[in-house]
């Protein structure tokens, strides 16, 4: 089984990804490390604990960073995920005393050191927790088996950004953290908007999930009403893009994706802050800010959308 730390800001699509990961027989979820983003840090942490209790799941919840490395935190996108991050469904009181005694960056370090070369870290929010772990422990990166990032937009299929014309939310939320991660000695697979916006769960698919996937389907349907309305208003879709579950799919079904290899850098300041750029050519330049990257990066450029939807359904049907 693949040992996974899921770094997340639940979040409606984060929650759908957590349930999918929990249902995948190939995955052993060690812990959820939480991050500010879709709602406040307290809110994302409560939501991680809520899912654990509601679905009787076995993972640690380690609370992470509350602000980006160097910039100020933006406003939470309550118009996308609701005020509580879960589409404003009614939530019970959650006891925060059940969180892990280590903060997220230290939790990541301790698990990777306990299981060297065995832990995959899936990041589906700002990359601040992982960046902090790498700053605290400079020898950590080569001990991490793989990092899978839902983030960025590389211009394939016309995908350049969703929070600015040239930046995706998770990267724009902390571009310095993202650039640090992308230049560290890591093995990184990225599923950005290029592929996540190619997979759409429409209303009839969501109803099928609700009616056939008895454990998680009705809950997914309930929390995603708000997300569905947002996509309908903002993009005219009958359905929504499948962002964070793409990180899980990339681990369990890499055959559904086509990748391009080459180092990635992140624009950290100015009007294009948060823009992700991959260098796929091997051409040499007198000055090359990509050449010094120590990471092995693969960026997904194509996805088999029907294969994705079928597999997501199949896994949740037997959860
Ligand atoms: C990403 O931003 C968040 O709103 C989603 O949870 C996803 O991780 C998509 O840009
Ligand atoms: Ca997310």
């Amino acid at each position: 089984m693949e040992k996974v730390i899921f770094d997340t800001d639940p979040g409606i699509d984060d929650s759908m990804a957590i349930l999918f990961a929990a249902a995948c027989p190939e995955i052993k979820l060690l812990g959820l490390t939480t991050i500010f983003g879709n709602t406040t840090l307290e809110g994302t942490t409560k939501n991680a604990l809520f899912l654990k209790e509601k679905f009787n799941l076995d993972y640690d919840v380690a609370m992470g960073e509350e602000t980006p490395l160097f910039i100020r935190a933006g406003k939470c996108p309550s118009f996308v995920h609701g005020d509580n991050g879960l589409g404003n469904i009614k939530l019970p009181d959650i006891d925060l005393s059940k969180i892990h005694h280590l903060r997220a960056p230290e939790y990541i370090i301790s698990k990777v050191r306990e299981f060297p070369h065995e832990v995959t870290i899936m990041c589906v929010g700002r990359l601040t927790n992982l960046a902090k772990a790498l700053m605290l422990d400079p020898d950590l990166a080569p001990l991490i088996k793989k990092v899978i990032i839902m983030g960025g937009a590389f211009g394939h299929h016309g995908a350049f950004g969703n929070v600015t014309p040239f930046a995706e939310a998770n990267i724009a939320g902390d571009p310095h953290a993202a650039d640090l991660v992308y230049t560290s000695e890591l093995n990184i697979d990225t599923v950005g908007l290029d592929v996540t916006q190619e997979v759409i769960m429409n209303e009839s698919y969501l109803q099928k999930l609700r009616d056939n996937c008895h454990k998680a389907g009705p809950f997914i349907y309930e929390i995603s009403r708000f997300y569905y309305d947002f996509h309908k208003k903002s993009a005219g879709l009958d359905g929504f893009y499948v962002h964070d579950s793409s990180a899980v799919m990339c681990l369990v079904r890499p055959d559904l994706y086509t990748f391009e290899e080459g180092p990635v850098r992140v624009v950290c300041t100015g009007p294009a802050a948060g823009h992700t750029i991959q260098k796929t050519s091997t051409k040499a330049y007198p000055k090359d800010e990509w050449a010094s990257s120590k990471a092995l990066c693969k960026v997904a450029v194509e996805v088999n959308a029907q294969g994705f939807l079928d597999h997501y359904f199949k896994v949740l049907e037997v959860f």
Side-chain angles (χ1 to χ4, degrees), residues 49-69:
L49 287 166
F50 165 66
L51 291 173
K52 176 176 169 164
E53 271 181 37
K54 180 171 175 63
F55 291 96
N56 197 20
L57 303 176
D58 177 27
Y59 54 67
D60 300 322
V61 175
M63 196 169 190
E65 297 297 305
E66 197 154 25
T67 53
L69 290 185

Side-chain angles (χ1 to χ4, degrees), residues 246-262:
S246 299
V248 182
M249 196 64 83
C250 181
L251 180 71
V252 298
R253 291 291 308 274
D255 60 298
L256 296 176
Y257 294 91
T258 307
F259 298 91
E260 283 188 355
E261 273 187 43

